[in-house]
Amino acid sequence: MVDVHALAATLDEAARDVRAIPPLTGAMPLDLAAAYAVQRAGIELRRRRGERLAGVKMGFTSRAKMAQMGVGDVIWGLLTDGMLAGPSVDVSRLIHPRIEPEIAYLIGREVRSATEVESAVTGVAVGFEVLDSRYRDFRFTLPDVIADNASAARFGFGAWHRPRDVSNIGLLLEIDGRPVQTGSSAAILGDPARSLRAAARLALGAGMALEPGWIVLAGAATAAVPLPEGAHVRVTGAGLGGVEVTT
Ligand code: OOG
Ligand code: MG
């Protein structure tokens, strides 16, 4: 039997000690259900420290991300208010952070069925996600990364815009004024709205309704890039403005 709580504690300590660990599956088999149980136990540890759920993140919703990380399935994780980035992110608290552009949705009312999620959205914005795998060299199998809450570390978003079609908008990631990644939101399952519906379906399937005020990150449209110290990052989405973060 997999000790879900012990594995969650191991990942949680790795994050807090800023120390990479070997993948869990190097030591034992872990199926997807057990991996999600570890993820939930890890979120529970954060909640006990006073963090509150703030939303859902989708992972590997684009080919660029699947190819970068060598996995082929969509996964999801949970966001807490403790992960919300300020205008700056302290990268000394992270093991090997990477940043990627995201499309963010704001949920305006409780979502009890996946079919109603689009009508519950009150805002859309360009966002970013700072990933930080707790595994050495950012290398993992699918169950490993699920247990590690889909590498979630920090996230942020720009100004909210009224819900609109964002099925094919240009996304640009710049570091210190240099473009480092460009992509289209169409890379996210053909339309980030599909990822939004999947997020609702997955959360509901796990017994969780999306709550008012929650954020859904639809997944990166491009590969993630290393986030060094002293960097000034800007993510722009055509028609959505931008969001900036410094390290
Ligand atoms: C896992 C997280 C993937 C995305 O947007 O595809 C993700 C990872 O790449 O380490 O957040
Ligand atoms: Mg992401």
Side-chain angles (χ1 to χ4, degrees), residues 57-60 65 69 100 102 129 131 138 140 145 150-151 219-220:
K57 62 157 285 181
M58 298 295 289
F60 306 135
K65 287 291 307 184
M69 305 314 297
E100 57 187 18
E102 294 268 348
E129 185 176 20
L131 300 172
F138 243 101
F140 42 68
V145 66
S151 309

Side-chain angles (χ1 to χ4, degrees), residues 39-120:
Q39 181 191 113
R40 284 293 279 276
I43 292 293
E44 211 37 60
L45 292 173
R46 287 175 170 270
R47 281 163 62 129
R48 269 189 242 152
R49 291 197 292 268
E51 292 181 40
R52 293 164 60 146
L53 285 180
V56 170
K57 62 157 285 181
M58 298 295 289
F60 306 135
T61 49
S62 70
R63 270 187 220 290
K65 287 291 307 184
M66 287 188 186
Q68 179 181 31
M69 305 314 297
V71 298
D73 266 310
V74 169
I75 64 172
W76 68 294
L78 288 161
L79 301 171
T80 71
D81 57 359
M83 301 175 190
L84 193 54
S88 78
V89 166
D90 180 2
V91 288
S92 74
R93 300 299 311 147
L94 301 171
I95 302 164
H96 39 203
R98 294 177 175 178
I99 192 161
E100 57 187 18
E102 294 268 348
I103 296 288
Y105 292 97
L106 178 62
I107 304 297
R109 60 173 162 80
E110 192 179 301
V111 178
R112 291 178 177 280
S113 91
T115 52
E116 70 185 53
V117 64
E118 271 166 292
S119 64

Side-chain angles (χ1 to χ4, degrees), residues 17-51:
D17 296 348
V18 196
R19 182 180 42 81
I21 58 170
L24 304 178
T25 56
M28 76 198 73
L30 196 64
D31 64 23
L32 296 187
Y36 277 110
V38 173
Q39 181 191 113
R40 284 293 279 276
I43 292 293
E44 211 37 60
L45 292 173
R46 287 175 170 270
R47 281 163 62 129
R48 269 189 242 152
R49 291 197 292 268
E51 292 181 40

